[in-house]
Amino acid sequence: MIVDVLERLHAELPDRINTDAATLESLRTDRSGVRTAAAPLALIEAESIEDVQAVCRLATATGTPLVTRGAGSGLAGAASAGAGELVLSTERMNRILEISPENQYCVVEPGILNGDLNRELATRGLWWPPDPASKDFSTVGGNIAMNAGGLLCAKYGVTREAVLALKVVLANGGLIEVGHRTVKGVTGYDLCALMIGSEGTLGVIVEATLKLRPAVTGVVPTIGAYFDSITAAAEASAAITAAGLQPAIQELLDANMLRAVTAHTGVDLASNGNAYLLVQTDGAAALDEAQRILALFDELGARATLTTDPEAAASLVDVRRQGFPALEAMGAFLVEDCAVPRSRLAEMFGHIERIAAKYDVFIACPAHAGDGNLHPTFVFDGSTDEVPDHVWDAASEIFETALALGGTLSGEHGIGLLKRRWLGDELGQRQLDLQREIKRVFDPLGILNPGKVFPE
Amino acid sequence: MIVDVLERLHAELPDRINTDAATLESLRTDRSGVRTAAAPLALIEAESIEDVQAVCRLATATGTPLVTRGAGSGLAGAASAGAGELVLSTERMNRILEISPENQYCVVEPGILNGDLNRELATRGLWWPPDPASKDFSTVGGNIAMNAGGLLCAKYGVTREAVLALKVVLANGGLIEVGHRTVKGVTGYDLCALMIGSEGTLGVIVEATLKLRPAVTGVVPTIGAYFDSITAAAEASAAITAAGLQPAIQELLDANMLRAVTAHTGVDLASNGNAYLLVQTDGAAALDEAQRILALFDELGARATLTTDPEAAASLVDVRRQGFPALEAMGAFLVEDCAVPRSRLAEMFGHIERIAAKYDVFIACPAHAGDGNLHPTFVFDGSTDEVPDHVWDAASEIFETALALGGTLSGEHGIGLLKRRWLGDELGQRQLDLQREIKRVFDPLGILNPGKVFPE
């Protein structure tokens, strides 16, 4: 059967197939570091919808598992491929097919990088808002398959809100068009939303109509504020929302992040306080909003700076930007991802501190505070290939705590291989069963990204 | 079997069941006027989740069809109930369970009216954006079940963007919680989005966590502009979007609407022009945006007025508000609903004029121009119970034309009974089959709102 599928691929798509050993080895993981037991069978670099259809038809005919992959920048192992699997790359399908300023949409192939698309859109005064930290090296198709988040979601929404329509190739090679090219559309079930965040388990996204916004213009005031405690900083963030103010970004760093950045850069930030909150506002009311936020921070006892000077702003932003490089310099690390309602953020930070002590593990935690989205980051000796058991135990308790506070297992990274064992805890058995049945509707043979998302 | 289900309902929920003949007769239709052949069996007025579960269990046990109904304000016949069916009303489940300014969400029962909820939210400086024209007499549960639109969608999104999480009772009485209380959440398939707009065919929405915004404050400038032709007005609307401006509302009236309002009110609006475009801007840049739009209208040859005076604004808004009462005074009427990409709006109006002439039917057409969402409204002799064949033929050609222009059968009213025969034209057989299979996953016995949405 394996010989058969490779032979047939070589016959049908000779220019697209790649079986180079080093390449296949690299496909065992993504940026999560979660690695499968062995390398996949072959990489197929599709160049057209017809190529994708041909691959799906062959996979169905031979019962061969198929893992769709964009840039491999995921953080949940959703694109990690293993023994006996084909990897279908959409990276070569990277064209912009249409940009319509009148309709505020564009039509693109899935392999285009988010950053490349936005650079092109910017020349026309347009913008596609999803902004995962990976945007310069992640594909739009991957952003959609994972329903990517980022820094701007509280104000500008997640990826789901920025996609109007999709063309999707089904497991059997059939092509469907889901969603609408119009702002509104209510014709049957919203299969476009169902496809967004489905992590390659329901079909292969081969074209996307993206909802655009006018590019944000004008001054972007930046505030950097140090607080005595993470609780005070988290409460300040919640107070911003409660006051009806809507910053573009609100990034929170805890004391361990500040210590790590201090150690890495040699600049003593840690003695400024035990938490740092970076805020940027944008739009017509940007300066007014920033001034109100500054006043609120002053009231709450923060040591805060507001600037509209680009250089001064860059140095305030740099505190956040240095965070992950600083942690990387400390050892192996695992970036986790959960979210809680904004009002529970302070409480969640308290639990993370407690859990770090309980399992004797170093956890530093940045958060997209406006979204209640935390990234507890574990630093440990060794390699990310082998995350120690006590780290997983601590992570597990963090996930359970997030759920207990009314939150979620994953704010933006997804489930993939990394978190499937906890999915049932969040969804409950009844919903998990429904989700599995939906999977079977789209993929009766179970060949699309098997073993991902659902617990085994 | 019928006796059995009624007996068991009387035994289990004696205070909730209503079999008054006039009441049952009224449940044969909604505001679409589409009437079923006979009255349903009984109305059950649920007061709690447990009530809904009990009804669903009984419906499953006895194989009795169940039609969930909010206020009956729908325009597609999605809540019209017929012979042998039970009607489950959620109108008594109308409590606000929680309002959280810090999290910008509220938790409500489905039967609360949109207008009642928003009046309560306004006292706390908060707002739930969905604004169907029916908002004062439609329920939040109904808004969600139909994914309601309204006037503000281009700027503030449709209902789907304003719902975080739902509690849903399944056909068999099981309860699931879908979605997240956080801004972000990517754990499995987005069943919350799947439920929104599913028209009562997948489950019964019994609780909703709604995403709120700060109430919009400040001046709301209003522009009323007359154009020589509907084409010029539609092009002016598209030019607003192309210029990166984002009004809160953009309402367009064609010449037949202006004639009807003139006849109805005695104020000669028709001689001002052949099309009217009403624009309102809001937010921090409202006045600046309005002035730029006015300049754009002047360039395009419109006769436009900009005002921030409430009384003068009311009279500009009144032109639009008088539209439907004016048509109602002319005879029986059928309000239809389709959408096209904004850039095709002028073209679509041309087709509607052509189709009206071809079928010799009077069509007046208001549009939510920013959404490309048109409401071709047919006026004819007789009653809405019996829409004449030539009106349906004209409507059918309008739907097909909207699809041919890259649009959709329904922008905001939904499919229900009224439009199911065209659904396959939009989705294609392959997607229609998938949607039917999803329906079977949730409702294997086919008892939830049977005969709605899907063509028979």
Side-chain angles (χ1 to χ4, degrees), chain A residues 17 42 71 120 141 151-152 197 212 246 281 287 313 380 383-384 413 445 450:
Chain A
I17 188 161
E120 181 60 34
L151 306 190
L152 302 168
L212 307 178
Q246 184 57 278
T281 56
L287 201 56
F380 48 90
S383 95
T384 48
H413 292 175
L445 302 178

Side-chain angles (χ1 to χ4, degrees), chain A residues 32-44:
Chain A
S32 70
V34 183
R35 202 173 293 273
T36 59
L41 274 184
L43 169 69
I44 303 115

Side-chain angles (χ1 to χ4, degrees), chain A residues 136-348:
Chain A
D136 284 324
F137 52 88
S138 64
T139 66
V140 168
N143 295 168
I144 296 170
M146 304 304 288
N147 193 15
L151 306 190
L152 302 168
C153 300
K155 182 160 188 177
Y156 293 105
V158 294
T159 300
R160 194 198 65 178
E161 272 89 64
V163 177
L164 290 170
L166 296 171
K167 284 189 185 170
V168 176
V169 173
L170 299 171
N172 63 13
L175 180 70
I176 59 171
E177 298 190 37
V178 295
H180 301 90
R181 290 203 171 188
T182 49
V183 174
K184 294 166 168 173
V186 283
T187 44
Y189 305 138
D190 191 345
L191 298 196
C192 185
L194 190 69
M195 212 51 70
I196 298 168
S198 65
E199 305 195 6
T201 66
L202 297 181
V204 183
I205 295 162
V206 291
E207 191 181 296
T209 303
L210 307 176
K211 190 175 178 182
L212 307 178
R213 285 176 176 266
V216 177
T217 54
V219 66
V220 176
T222 302
I223 301 171
Y226 289 90
F227 292 82
D228 288 339
S229 69
I230 190 73
T231 307
E235 282 168 358
S237 169
I240 292 174
T241 304
L245 299 164
Q246 184 57 278
I249 72 167
Q250 282 196 63
E251 294 294 307
L252 184 54
L253 303 187
D254 70 353
N256 276 350
M257 287 294 286
L258 290 176
R259 282 184 206 116
V261 175
T262 296
H264 187 57
T265 61
V267 181
D268 182 14
L269 302 173
S271 64
N272 291 340
N274 289 307
Y276 180 73
L277 187 53
L278 172 73
V279 174
Q280 289 188 323
T281 56
D282 65 7
L287 201 56
D288 175 57
E289 282 199 286
Q291 279 158 348
R292 290 172 63 192
I293 292 167
L294 186 70
L296 203 152
F297 283 0
D298 285 344
E299 263 174 53
L300 294 169
R303 292 162 296 287
T305 314
L306 163 62
T307 184
T308 55
D309 172 67
E311 242 176 85
S315 108
L316 295 176
V317 170
D318 214 42
V319 178
R320 166 72 170 85
R321 194 166 285 151
Q322 289 295 338
F324 282 111
L327 295 176
E328 206 165 6
M330 289 175 64
F333 73 109
L334 171 73
V335 184
E336 260 314 328
D337 168 45
C338 61
V340 295
R342 284 174 274 230
S343 62
R344 313 301 290 270
L345 199 52
E347 207 175 330
M348 187 66 202

Side-chain angles (χ1 to χ4, degrees), chain A residues 53 100-105 146-151 153-155 157-158 160-163 170 172-194 196-199 201-202 211 213-214 235 238-239 241-246 284-285 337 339-344 368 370-373 375 406-415 423 426-427 430-431 433-442 453-454, chain B residues 53 100-105 146-151 153-155 157-158 160-163 170 172-194 196-199 201-202 211 213-214 235 238-239 241-246 284-285 337 339-344 368 370-373 375 406-415 423 426-427 430-431 433-442 453-454:
Chain A
Q53 291 184 287
S100 169
E102 278 177 320
N103 293 306
Q104 286 184 342
Y105 66 54
M146 304 304 288
N147 193 15
L151 306 190
C153 300
K155 182 160 188 177
V158 294
R160 194 198 65 178
E161 272 89 64
V163 177
L170 299 171
N172 63 13
L175 180 70
I176 59 171
E177 298 190 37
V178 295
H180 301 90
R181 290 203 171 188
T182 49
V183 174
K184 294 166 168 173
V186 283
T187 44
Y189 305 138
D190 191 345
L191 298 196
C192 185
L194 190 69
I196 298 168
S198 65
E199 305 195 6
T201 66
L202 297 181
K211 190 175 178 182
R213 285 176 176 266
E235 282 168 358
T241 304
L245 299 164
Q246 184 57 278
D337 168 45
V340 295
R342 284 174 274 230
S343 62
R344 313 301 290 270
H368 309 304
D371 306 333
N373 185 194
H375 292 305
T408 176
L409 272 180
S410 178
E412 56 187 11
H413 292 175
I415 301 299
L423 186 65
E426 176 161 339
L427 301 185
R430 191 173 281 134
Q431 187 182 168
D433 290 346
L434 284 172
Q435 297 218 353
R436 282 188 200 273
E437 287 187 60
I438 289 171
K439 160 76 173 165
R440 272 194 288 274
V441 165
F442 283 83
V453 181
F454 295 103
Chain B
Q53 291 184 286
S100 170
E102 277 176 318
N103 292 307
Q104 286 183 342
Y105 67 55
M146 303 304 288
N147 192 16
L151 306 190
C153 300
K155 183 160 187 178
V158 295
R160 192 197 68 177
E161 271 89 64
V163 177
L170 300 172
N172 63 14
L175 181 69
I176 59 171
E177 298 189 36
V178 296
H180 301 90
R181 290 201 171 190
T182 49
V183 175
K184 295 166 169 172
V186 282
T187 46
Y189 304 138
D190 191 345
L191 297 196
C192 185
L194 190 68
I196 298 168
S198 65
E199 303 194 8
T201 65
L202 298 180
K211 189 175 179 181
R213 282 175 178 267
E235 282 169 358
T241 305
L245 299 165
Q246 184 57 278
D337 168 45
V340 295
R342 284 174 274 230
S343 61
R344 313 301 290 271
H368 309 303
D371 307 333
N373 184 193
H375 290 305
T408 176
L409 270 180
S410 178
E412 57 188 9
H413 292 176
I415 302 299
L423 187 65
E426 177 161 339
L427 301 185
R430 192 173 281 134
Q431 187 181 169
D433 290 345
L434 284 172
Q435 297 218 353
R436 282 189 199 272
E437 287 187 60
I438 289 172
K439 160 77 172 165
R440 273 194 288 274
V441 165
F442 283 82
V453 181
F454 295 103

